[in-house]
Amino acid sequence: MNEQVANNKNAEGSIITTTLALSIGYAVLRYHIVGPVPWKDFPFFILNKGLCLAAFILLTMNFALGPLKNLGASVPQGWLGARKAMGMTGFLLVMLHALMSFLLFSPVVYGKFYEEDGTLTLLAGLSMLGGVTAFVVLWGYNMAFQTFLREDKAFIAFITSRKFMLFALLLGASHLFFMGYQDWLKPAGWHGGLPPVSLVAFAFFAVGYVINLFGRE
Ligand code: HEM
């Protein structure tokens, strides 16, 4: 193993572990320690929040580090080399998040997503539409690099283009925005004064979006 590969492995391992630890830690702090959620809900309901936050952060970094370098920032080589691992881990975490969310999806767990007659509210419908389309687009993006499609230069140029990336980021953001913006506007109700996970993720999206807007060629 040459020195560069060893450095990349160190960087990707510590970036992924730190992101997971901070994201899960934030969910535990906000919902269990300063919030009212009982600890019995940690293994699924709260862990799901931590995992999807980590996924969002890793994917945003994966998409934004290259454009950030184009803007003149000094991004360490190890971080640039870790992008593939961040993208793949982010995608697998999103898969986990989707599976966990499907199992949890009911009016008892997510009361605010449902009308009294048991149908989805408009905002929940828009949010879930954003989530499932972001998931499918992400799947296509990953497949493009793992299959024969990777030989198709025009397709790869399209899928890594500024236009496509900005569109894909907006899908993820719409998932967060429609689900959360009503709570974002009421800081008095935030547990321990800490912003909801959806707002933390949205802040990462906003920074990543601006970096891609100006730094992607
Ligand atoms: C099949 C696709 C998806 C489904 C069914 C889904 C479902 C859900 C549900 C039900 C929630 C509410 C969780 C909660 O409040 O406990 C949620 C939140 C969230 N999702 Fe997704 N999602 C999907 C795709 C995605 C994708 C592609 C991302 C991007 C990484 C993502 C990131 C997030 C984030 C960061 C939250 C905020 C969690 C919170 O505020 O508690 N989701 N999703």
Side-chain angles (χ1 to χ4, degrees), residues 136-165 216:
V136 170
V137 165
L138 208 54
W139 193 341
Y141 183 85
N142 264 279
M143 255 176 24
F145 295 101
Q146 316 299 334
T147 63
F148 66 92
L149 283 168
R150 133 183 98 195
E151 311 298 334
D152 186 337
K153 293 216 165 53
F155 182 70
I156 294 293
F158 165 71
I159 208 159
T160 55
S161 68
R162 193 165 79 119
K163 218 186 283 174
F164 183 83
M165 201 50 73
R216 189 168 283 269

Side-chain angles (χ1 to χ4, degrees), residues 164-195:
F164 183 83
M165 201 50 73
L166 292 177
F167 163 73
L169 282 168
L170 276 182
L171 290 176
S174 73
H175 180 49
L176 303 174
F177 179 78
F178 291 118
M179 128 184 3
Y181 80 89
Q182 287 171 321
D183 296 333
W184 302 350
L185 300 174
K186 295 178 206 140
W190 295 352
H191 308 312
L194 297 173

